[in-house]
Amino acid sequence: MKKVSAKLFFAVLWKGVCQAVGWFFGLFGFKKDGLFAWCLWRLFASGVAIVVGLFAVVLVCSLCDNIYDKYYKHTYCYDPDCPCSEYIGKSIYYHDRGEGQSYIFNSQTQEKTIKHLYWIARPEGADSLICFSDGSKRGYFNKNTGEVVIPARYDHAWVFSEGLACVDENGSIKFIDSTGKTIIDQVTSYKPDMNGLFFHGGYCMIDNEGPELCCLIDKSGWTVLQEFNSISSSSNYQLWKVCKGDEQGVFDSNMNIVIPLTKASIYLYDDEICMTMPDHTMRKYDLKGHLIHDFYIDSVRDLEYEKPEIVNRPPSINVASEEIIETIDENYRPKAIARLRAYTAGNNYDGLMTRDGRIVTKPLYENIEAIGDDLYLCTVSNNDKVVVNGKGMIVK
């Protein structure tokens, strides 16, 4: 049998349709070569083209809908009962309708997998379990399936971090894994103001039983740092700052001492350690604790003072309108620049320096004003002031 191409098939079909239409109109006496027949044929051809075009559009839209339904429909929520949905993962949505009325919805199966929720809390990292509350207890569900993995049986619970989650069970703080198995048991007793019970960089900060004391534990539950007033880390969790009384120090991620406890304010960055000393001088160290420089400043400014002589300042004149815009000042004291400059260092304290950058005084003062060519009024504290000369010595 000879194969017929699609082009040939539609050409023959079109010719047959045209012949049938011509025969039909010929019954009414229309001539094929007349003007009216030509217009009629044009109208007929245009109508057929429009119908075929519409048919093609419908066919393409239908095909797109089939593809959408098969591959993309379940990535969106079609629950008519709740317009306020929050995407969780894959086909899972959280519908927040108020305490006790919220639920988890699977858009693929069109089912509510968990009902009567009060709230949920997502983890920040790659952990897949989400903490939820049913109003009295807390548990966890899988964000990709919407199914409960760990039933709501804990009095308090925190989100997963680095594969572990902190829970309060009968007043005892412990850590569980993604199956609900206890990994670190009886870390401490629960206290209402507990927060931040998460692992970062392999460590977690825990409040101790003592007043205002805390410790750092690893994933085995071993206490690596203890009895500090506070413990915090750099943003990349490679350095840990500890505070005890008015002293601060730094440990690295292996708990080696980088900066021993020192009376200073320490600021951790991903690439350096900054310290403000008790005398308000600023230092910088590298991540190994090696001193980079022992004296940094924030800014430098000139100090103006009023000269002792009084001069008559002429009026200011608007050049464009030639109008006087300021009256004569008969008590005007001209200003001059003092010999020394003021610089600002740690905690916004001021010191004096020469114009060629030599330090005259450390940053000991809350504020410095010039009262003469080489004389300075310096605020010590509580608005108490002293006068300092150009050598940095207090004038008595």
Side-chain angles (χ1 to χ4, degrees):
M1 180 181 293
K2 183 179 179 181
K3 292 184 178 180
V4 179
S5 65
K7 181 178 180 181
L8 179 61
F9 172 78
F10 285 108
V12 173
L13 178 63
W14 174 252
K15 186 175 181 180
V17 171
C18 291
Q19 288 177 350
V21 173
W23 173 82
F24 175 78
F25 283 107
L27 295 176
F28 298 94
F30 294 114
K31 294 183 179 181
K32 190 174 183 180
D33 299 329
L35 178 62
F36 179 75
W38 181 85
C39 293
L40 190 63
W41 279 109
R42 287 288 182 180
L43 182 63
F44 170 72
S46 299
V48 171
I50 292 174
V51 171
V52 171
L54 292 175
F55 177 77
V57 170
V58 172
L59 184 64
V60 171
C61 291
S62 178
L63 180 63
C64 292
D65 286 341
N66 290 334
I67 296 175
Y68 172 79
D69 289 341
K70 184 175 181 180
Y71 297 103
Y72 299 103
K73 180 177 180 179
H74 298 311
T75 62
Y76 298 92
C77 186
Y78 288 93
D79 181 13
D81 295 334
C82 182
C84 304
S85 63
E86 177 185 349
Y87 178 73
I88 299 297
K90 292 187 178 180
S91 57
I92 306 304
Y93 290 80
Y94 171 62
H95 290 264
D96 187 359
R97 304 191 67 183
E99 294 183 349
Q101 302 298 317
S102 303
Y103 57 90
I104 302 300
F105 182 78
N106 188 324
S107 65
Q108 188 169 8
T109 62
Q110 299 289 299
E111 295 178 350
K112 298 177 181 179
T113 57
I114 310 176
K115 302 178 182 179
H116 309 302
L117 296 179
Y118 276 65
W119 52 258
I120 66 171
R122 298 197 204 184
E124 293 183 356
D127 295 278
S128 60
L129 296 190
I130 294 179
C131 183
F132 71 89
S133 170
D134 64 3
S136 60
K137 297 290 184 177
R138 301 177 186 181
Y140 299 88
F141 70 90
N142 189 296
K143 68 178 184 181
N144 296 318
T145 64
E147 301 293 339
V148 173
V149 177
I150 302 175
R153 59 173 179 250
Y154 302 108
D155 297 325
H156 301 90
W158 289 260
V159 298
F160 269 83
S161 57
E162 299 184 1
L164 297 177
C166 181
V167 296
D168 163 29
E169 191 169 29
N170 300 321
S172 178
I173 292 296
K174 56 184 65 177
F175 284 86
I176 61 173
D177 64 12
S178 58
T179 66
K181 178 184 177 182
T182 299
I183 302 301
I184 306 174
D185 195 11
Q186 297 180 349
V187 176
T188 185
S189 299
Y190 171 77
K191 293 184 284 293
D193 57 349
M194 277 185 157
N195 54 37
L197 299 175
F198 314 111
F199 274 93
H200 296 296
Y203 301 104
C204 177
M205 194 274 290
I206 302 291
D207 292 335
N208 271 343
E209 298 291 346
E212 298 183 356
L213 291 179
C214 58
C215 67
L216 198 70
I217 65 171
D218 61 18
K219 287 189 175 182
S220 68
W222 181 261
T223 301
V224 294
L225 296 175
Q226 60 182 342
E227 296 186 352
F228 288 100
N229 298 118
S230 68
I231 301 175
S232 59
S233 71
S234 59
S235 60
N236 60 3
Y237 309 111
Q238 296 302 305
L239 296 176
W240 293 84
K241 182 179 76 172
V242 298
C243 301
K244 179 176 285 188
D246 58 355
E247 294 184 326
Q248 298 183 11
V250 179
F251 291 82
D252 63 16
S253 58
N254 295 318
M255 295 299 115
N256 298 314
I257 296 177
V258 177
I259 303 290
L261 285 173
T262 307
K263 288 186 177 181
S265 297
I266 297 178
Y267 306 92
L268 300 180
Y269 300 95
D270 290 348
D271 56 352
E272 63 184 12
I273 303 169
C274 296
M275 294 178 60
T276 299
M277 307 306 292
D279 60 1
H280 309 295
T281 57
M282 297 190 301
R283 302 177 181 179
K284 284 188 179 181
Y285 296 81
D286 63 18
L287 301 184
K288 300 294 184 181
H290 301 138
L291 180 65
I292 299 174
H293 200 284
D294 64 353
F295 197 89
Y296 284 90
I297 62 176
D298 289 328
S299 62
V300 177
R301 69 181 187 276
D302 284 326
L303 298 171
E304 290 186 337
Y305 68 96
E306 292 184 346
K307 290 184 176 181
E309 63 270 16
I310 299 176
V311 298
N312 291 331
R313 183 168 59 176
S316 299
I317 299 176
N318 189 320
V319 177
S321 63
E322 297 184 354
E323 294 180 353
I324 297 176
I325 59 176
E326 188 177 313
T327 59
I328 297 176
D329 186 355
E330 297 180 350
N331 297 312
Y332 173 71
R333 294 178 184 270
K335 293 183 178 181
I337 303 297
R339 187 179 70 86
L340 299 180
R341 289 177 168 178
Y343 69 89
T344 303
N347 299 326
N348 293 321
Y349 272 72
D350 290 345
L352 290 168
M353 66 185 303
T354 63
R355 292 193 169 275
D356 59 0
R358 291 186 298 107
I359 301 301
V360 178
T361 69
K362 290 184 177 181
L364 303 174
Y365 307 108
E366 294 179 354
N367 188 49
I368 296 178
E369 304 173 40
I371 57 176
D373 176 62
D374 207 18
L375 208 59
Y376 309 90
L377 184 65
C378 303
T379 303
V380 180
S381 62
N382 300 321
N383 211 32
D384 295 329
K385 297 177 174 64
V386 294
V387 176
V388 176
N389 60 25
K391 295 182 179 180
M393 301 177 63
I394 297 177
V395 178
K396 297 183 180 180

